[in-house]
Amino acid sequence: MEEISLAPPRGMRDFYPEDMVLRNRVFDAWRAAAVAHGFEHYDACVVESLALLKRKAGEEVENQVYAFQDKSGRDLALRAEMTPTLARMVAARQGSLQFPVKWFCIAQCFRYERMTKGRKREHYQLNLDIVGEEGVSAEAEVLAAAVGALRRMGVPDEAYRVRLSSRALLSELLAKLGIAERFHAGAFLALDKKGKIPREEIEAIMKEEGLDDEACRKAFDLMDVSSLDEAAAIAGPDSPAVAHLRDLFALLGLYGLGGQVVFDISVVRGLSYYTGVVFEAFDTKGEFRAIFGGGRYDNLLTTVGGKPTPAVGLGFGDVVVGELLKSLGLDRAAARPDLVCVGYMQPEQRDAATRLAAKLRADGRAVDLRLRAQKAKAFFAHAAERGTHAVFLGPDDIARGTARMKDLATRTETEIALA
Ligand code: HAM
């Protein structure tokens, strides 16, 4: 028989109870921040039709899809991200939904990635999306919710920056430099690789897309633009993209996010569906990969067969933020949740202990009832490890009809009736 490895497949994770502390901390903050910003919870199945996920845009995700056929020969895949599914779900109910919709979910996503720091082949992603709003208030709102989640995890504002730009702006700038619009999509995906692969390789990709040497050089030079004012000087006084970005930054100031969100023309994003504002959050020390990323994607709904509808959203993964929380010492739960450990000395006290546990649970308390008689020392060692309170029953307690509940933090005891 083939020997079965006890490790999960490469790139996949197990979550032992101690690992769930950090995961729950992240998920709780995500949910609370999304709800606090008025997003509604939705969900979908992890398996999608391959047709929905298949794209021919030269994006990385296209080659990373876990695809398979079911027994009826359907071409299916594990979702690599949530956005195509969201677009499908919104398009399916486009006639009845009240737009704009603000939806969130926590989605497990699968990508066959090269394994590097911060990259797994499976991760959970908070998705926050607003569909049906073309104004910058939608961008501001998803960013505020994501920053709200970081704050709830205890991450200080100085520990990260959201770098934000706009593909619409980049498009205007490329056009000003004489690069025709049909080359822009290819240039975006190539420029997104800046800093990740050597310049020669990026130029090779751009040349494949049809750009000549001069266009490549000009596109690269644009990445050195260091401020929105500098970009505005190239784009000219009537640039809609510049006006849009100025409006967004002013609005972000009102949200109290003026310090955390900065203009950075080099943020382009690697997914082809973005059409406008794009952003990515990074830790300030530059140790980790992107904490979250997203942007505006006004054409995706038509791609899946819906009516033209503007949309903005982001994905916020659990892996990078988990590393960040560990590095900041924020990975432990703030307080141990209330748990009463109930144990007993001899088999004769089992029924009384069971009745007591049932009563405490009916009162709404969480109870860890020991499953067999134990010595006091072993019971209290277990209780100290797991619980906040402990009740240990012996023959004398049964005779008296009372027991003592010990508060393990303060070491104080209270008398409780067993009847
Ligand atoms: P993305 O940039 O591909 O965007 O992923 C968003 C976030 O998910 C990343 O910033 C990172 O935190 C996390 N992430 C992605 N891939 C991995 C991986 N292999 N391992 C660990 N973490 C990962 C999207 O997925 C877009 N669909 C986001 C979006 C939603 N745009 C609009 N709405």
Side-chain angles (χ1 to χ4, degrees), residues 81 83 111 113 118 120 123 125 129 269 273-274 290-291 317:
E81 51 158 341
T83 315
R111 299 182 189 181
E113 293 230 32
K120 305 272 177 208
H123 71 284
Q125 221 186 58
D129 288 272
R269 304 270 300 143
Y273 49 66
Y274 293 114
I291 304 168

Side-chain angles (χ1 to χ4, degrees), residues 211-247:
L211 277 80
D212 60 20
D213 281 336
E214 205 197 340
C216 283
R217 191 184 45 76
K218 285 178 176 169
F220 262 98
D221 287 349
L222 272 185
M223 295 291 106
D224 295 330
V225 166
S226 63
S227 67
L228 185 51
D229 286 339
E230 204 181 313
I234 306 172
D238 312 315
S239 158
V242 170
H244 207 71
L245 282 173
R246 290 208 198 282
D247 192 18

Side-chain angles (χ1 to χ4, degrees), residues 5-83:
S5 164
L6 296 183
R10 191 168 154 74
M12 309 289 168
R13 294 171 297 170
D14 292 327
F15 292 88
Y16 284 90
E18 64 266 27
D19 305 318
M20 290 305 288
V21 174
L22 176 57
R23 182 169 130 182
N24 284 334
R25 194 182 167 93
V26 170
F27 281 28
D28 289 349
W30 278 348
R31 254 189 300 265
V35 169
H37 288 77
F39 286 79
E40 291 181 281
H41 206 166
Y42 75 103
D43 205 356
C45 186
V46 177
V47 174
E48 266 295 355
S49 74
L50 184 60
L52 182 78
L53 307 186
K54 260 243 169 302
R55 300 196 286 254
K56 294 190 181 54
E59 300 154 290
E60 236 168 353
V61 281
E62 184 194 326
N63 304 315
Q64 294 173 337
V65 172
Y66 278 89
F68 61 98
Q69 278 196 339
D70 70 8
K71 289 186 199 293
S72 309
R74 285 184 196 90
D75 287 313
L76 301 173
L78 301 180
R79 65 176 171 227
E81 51 158 341
M82 197 63 194
T83 315

